């Protein structure tokens, strides 16, 4: 075997995920383990570790391209990385979601459809878009045309300048109420999934119980969501600088601090999510507002 061959140990041992099978996981209270990936090798490793859904996040602008925000990442770049990840998932099982990057869907439904088509034709099975209030019309338009949509509320990094930085959202009663109203509108518009980023646990739990038909995936949103997502580079301890406190480094043994291999770290993440051992409810106690 060439040293450059992709690892194939568990490839093909799970059935390919569908929206139906993800919903079935939620129905039987099995947590959905999601991770970001940006290339074929890590996508394959994540899939072999048992990750249920891989997100080609526009976080690639920061962790791969070295930008200070996700804003410079373009649709062509997202499509390129989606193609890479889709190749890595060939013969695997994980569901593939790709982010619509900044300025690829804000101008209206036709622009959003064209951008979604580019990502779906690159191999995505679902697109993710950020924000509430103005987005349900776009979500409905895409869903009616056969594009599964994951919404994204709370800290929405494409709005970092409008939000005044990477800050916890939904902390006071008024903003929690608005967040819940936006989530309801998006669920009614047909969003099958929703990432909830950086908010008090009880707000995220309330969004899930308000909208049982939608799968919520938390990142810094506590244990009450249907699943969890982390940025690959963060959970492998590769990101430098101050990390949000909800991030856990799975590439270090918790007891000894010794480095563990990447495939072991990825499997530990999946196991911790499935067992409800990640996230830690204490590290996610951002105050109550629901
Ligand atoms: O771009 C990304 O990686 C994301 C995650 C933070 C959910 O949207």
């Amino acid at each position: 075997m060439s040293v450059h061959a992709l690892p194939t140990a568990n490839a093909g041992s799970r059935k390919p995920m569908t929206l139906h099978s993800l919903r079935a996981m939620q129905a039987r209270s099995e947590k959905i383990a999601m991770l970001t990936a940006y290339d074929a090798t890590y996508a394959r490793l994540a899939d072999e570790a048992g990750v249920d859904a891989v997100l080609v996040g526009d976080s690639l602008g920061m962790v791969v391209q070295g930008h200070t925000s996700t804003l410079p990442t373009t649709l062509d770049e997202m499509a390129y990385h989606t193609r890479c990840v889709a190749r890595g998932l060939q013969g695997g099982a994980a569901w593939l979601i790709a982010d619509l990057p900044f300025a690829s869907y804000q101008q209206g439904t036709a622009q959003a459809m064209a951008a979604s088509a580019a990502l779906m034709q690159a191999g995505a099975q679902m697109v993710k878009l950020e924000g509430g209030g103005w987005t349900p019309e776009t979500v409905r338009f895409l869903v009616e045309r056969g594009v599964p949509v994951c919404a994204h509320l709370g800290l929405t990094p494409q709005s970092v300048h409008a939000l005044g930085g990477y800050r916890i959202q939904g902390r006071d009663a008024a903003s929690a109420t608005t967040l819940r109203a936006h989530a309801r509108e998006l669920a009614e518009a047909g969003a099958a999934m929703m990432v909830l980023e950086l908010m008090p646990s009880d707000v995220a739990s309330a969004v899930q119980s308000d909208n049982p038909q939608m799968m919520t995936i938390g990142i810094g949103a506590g244990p009450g969501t249907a699943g969890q997502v982390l940025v690959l580079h963060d959970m492998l301890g590769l990101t430098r600088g101050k990390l949000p406190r909800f991030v856990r480094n799975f590439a270090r043994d918790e007891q000894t601090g010794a480095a563990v291999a990447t495939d072991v770290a990825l499997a530990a993440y999946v196991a911790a999510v499935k067992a409800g051992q990640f996230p830690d409810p204490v590290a996610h106690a951002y105050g109550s507002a629901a």
Side-chain angles (χ1 to χ4, degrees):
M1 187 178 89
S2 154
V3 292
H4 300 297
L6 288 167
T8 55
N10 298 320
S13 61
R14 293 188 297 157
K15 279 203 188 137
M17 288 289 165
T18 61
L19 258 189
H20 186 80
S21 54
L22 289 164
R23 285 193 173 115
M25 285 175 64
Q26 181 185 21
R28 60 176 185 267
S29 299
E30 178 181 344
K31 294 284 182 183
I32 298 165
M34 188 192 291
L35 264 186
T36 68
Y38 316 99
D39 66 30
T41 296
Y42 278 101
R44 176 65 64 94
L45 286 175
D47 185 64
E48 287 180 356
V51 164
D52 301 304
V54 168
L55 169 67
V56 185
D58 60 357
S59 52
L60 79 85
M62 298 173 82
V63 299
V64 175
Q65 298 173 321
H67 297 299
T68 54
S69 79
T70 61
L71 299 181
T73 304
T74 67
L75 181 61
D76 283 350
E77 290 162 352
M78 288 304 301
Y80 169 79
H81 285 276
T82 302
R83 275 194 297 279
C84 295
V85 167
R87 281 183 214 118
L89 294 181
Q90 267 167 25
W95 178 251
L96 176 48
I97 307 164
D99 264 341
L100 288 167
F102 177 66
S104 73
Y105 57 99
Q106 283 83 349
Q107 284 174 37
T109 52
Q111 189 205 22
M113 185 64 216
S116 301
L119 297 182
M120 302 287 280
Q121 286 166 351
Q125 293 166 300
M126 175 179 245
V127 299
K128 178 163 81 61
L129 54 79
E130 296 184 7
W134 64 275
T135 46
E137 185 194 352
T138 304
V139 170
R140 182 167 286 108
F141 189 92
L142 295 177
V143 170
E144 281 172 351
R145 285 155 183 79
V147 179
V149 177
C150 176
H152 184 157
L153 290 180
L155 172 66
T156 45
Q158 291 173 14
S159 306
V160 59
H161 300 305
L163 295 173
Y166 296 100
R167 310 160 81 96
I168 300 162
Q169 303 296 308
R171 252 185 151 163
D172 59 80
S175 62
T177 303
T178 303
L179 201 154
R180 286 175 68 174
H182 285 170
R184 225 175 273 122
E185 289 162 9
L186 285 158
E188 278 162 18
M193 194 180 269
M194 178 177 287
V195 166
L196 296 174
E197 182 165 357
L198 208 57
M199 66 184 64
S201 304
D202 54 358
V203 178
S205 299
V207 169
Q208 182 60 83
S209 47
D210 289 346
N211 306 287
Q213 78 279 27
M214 185 175 69
M215 295 170 269
T216 58
I217 308 291
I219 173 163
T225 49
Q228 297 291 326
V229 60
L230 280 177
V231 169
L232 178 76
H233 293 55
D234 293 350
M235 56 79 71
L236 289 180
L238 302 174
T239 307
R240 293 294 170 262
K242 193 170 177 292
L243 285 178
R245 69 172 192 232
F246 63 80
V247 173
R248 187 184 298 172
N249 181 351
F250 285 89
R252 294 260 166 220
D253 183 277
E254 272 197 298
Q255 260 86 56
T256 63
V260 301
T262 301
D263 54 351
V264 175
L266 296 174
Y269 167 71
V270 174
V273 170
K274 300 277 175 195
Q277 290 160 356
F278 179 81
D280 174 353
V282 176
H284 289 77
Y286 291 130
S288 172

